[in-house]
């Protein structure tokens, strides 16, 4: 198991989620591809902008773009079969993608010798940024900011790595497993952060 393999799973999961939401909103073929690609790579692009890395570095990921395009194509032309498996495994692969991308984003910031705060931001943006952009473009309230506990796990990964509490290979894989498990538990057990609604008559 390598980080590249985990990135492939995350790319597939995020690209499919973007494509499915685009189809739910009745986007045309071009819209489905654009939303799928944005979901898969939007987080990394925003991260690069904020930490001073040229966004053009994303174009070096030719293999991942191909994988994302193939995934979107399968979903668009074979929606029944794709959705049947997505309903069963979608949240799990999304949890893997969140954990893998959050850790990779944090490690990327650490390689640039950035402070802990920047490492946490890089983890959150890489793990959650694509989903935020996806929901905004689809005219939906971003899932990251409501209901389910999602971004918290990316913050936790960034903090642990930024404080150098996990440094060697086995610790990184252990962190990946823990973050994935916590994300799975949060949606299977309906964990939610507290929220408060303002009174209607103010």
């Amino acid at each position: 198991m390598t980080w590249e393999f985990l990135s492939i799973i995350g790319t597939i999961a995020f690209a499919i989620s973007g494509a499915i939401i685009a189809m739910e909103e009745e986007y045309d073929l071009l819209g489905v591809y654009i939303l799928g690609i944005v979901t898969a790579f939007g987080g990394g692009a925003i991260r690069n902008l904020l930490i001073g890395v040229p966004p053009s570095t994303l174009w070096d990921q030719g293999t991942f773009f191909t994988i994302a395009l193939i995934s979107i194509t399968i979903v668009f032309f074979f929606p029944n079969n794709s959705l049947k498996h997505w309903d069963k495994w979608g949240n799990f692969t999304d949890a893997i993608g969140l954990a893998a991308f959050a850790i990779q984003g944090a490690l990327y910031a650490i390689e640039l010798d950035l402070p802990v705060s920047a490492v946490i931001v890089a983890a959150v943006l890489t793990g959650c940024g694509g989903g935020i952009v996806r929901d905004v473009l689809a005219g939906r309230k971003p899932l990251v900011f409501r209901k389910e506990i999602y971004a918290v796990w990316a913050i936790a990964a960034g903090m642990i790595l930024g404080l150098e509490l996990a440094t060697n290979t086995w610790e990184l894989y252990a962190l990946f497993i823990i973050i994935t498990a916590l994300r799975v538990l949060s949606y299977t057990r309906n964990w939610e952060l507290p929220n408060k609604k303002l009174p209607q008559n103010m």
Side-chain angles (χ1 to χ4, degrees):
M1 181 172 64
T2 65
W3 286 117
E4 185 174 350
F5 174 70
L6 296 176
S7 293
I8 289 173
I9 294 177
T11 299
I12 292 171
F14 290 165
I16 290 176
S17 73
I20 289 174
I21 287 181
M23 293 169 69
E24 289 176 350
E25 297 295 329
E26 299 183 353
Y27 286 16
D28 62 17
L29 176 61
L30 180 61
V32 171
Y33 275 102
I34 289 176
L35 201 60
I37 290 296
V38 165
T39 306
F41 300 99
I46 296 172
R47 175 204 65 205
N48 288 354
L49 280 172
L50 289 181
I51 65 178
V53 176
S56 59
T57 56
L58 283 175
W59 301 117
D60 296 334
Q61 305 181 56
T63 301
F64 291 99
F65 274 97
T66 301
I67 291 171
L69 290 172
I70 291 172
S71 302
I72 296 167
T73 301
I74 292 173
V75 169
F76 186 83
F77 289 103
F78 305 99
N80 293 333
N81 291 332
S82 302
L83 289 175
K84 180 172 65 176
H85 295 294
W86 180 256
D87 289 340
K88 184 176 182 180
W89 298 106
N91 282 329
F92 180 63
T93 55
D94 182 78
I96 291 174
L98 170 68
F101 282 3
I103 291 172
Q104 285 185 325
L107 292 175
Y108 197 63
I110 290 171
E111 288 180 3
L112 297 176
D113 199 26
L114 297 177
V116 175
S117 57
V119 173
I120 294 172
V121 170
V124 173
L125 289 178
T126 311
C128 309
I132 295 173
V133 176
R134 174 201 65 202
D135 291 341
V136 170
L137 291 178
R140 300 184 176 190
K141 294 179 180 179
L143 179 64
V144 172
F145 300 137
R146 62 185 176 88
K147 196 175 179 181
E148 297 181 10
I149 299 179
Y150 194 91
V152 170
W153 308 130
I155 293 172
M159 188 174 296
I160 289 170
L161 292 171
L163 296 174
E164 298 183 354
L165 300 179
T167 55
N168 59 45
T169 302
W170 76 265
E171 289 173 338
L172 293 177
Y173 282 124
L175 178 62
F176 163 76
I177 292 171
I178 291 170
I179 296 298
T180 301
L182 288 172
R183 170 57 189 150
V184 170
L185 286 172
S186 68
Y187 71 74
T188 55
R189 304 202 175 183
N190 297 316
W191 293 349
E192 296 182 5
L193 292 173
N195 60 16
K196 188 165 184 132
K197 293 183 179 180
L198 292 174
Q200 294 296 322
N201 298 320
M202 288 187 65

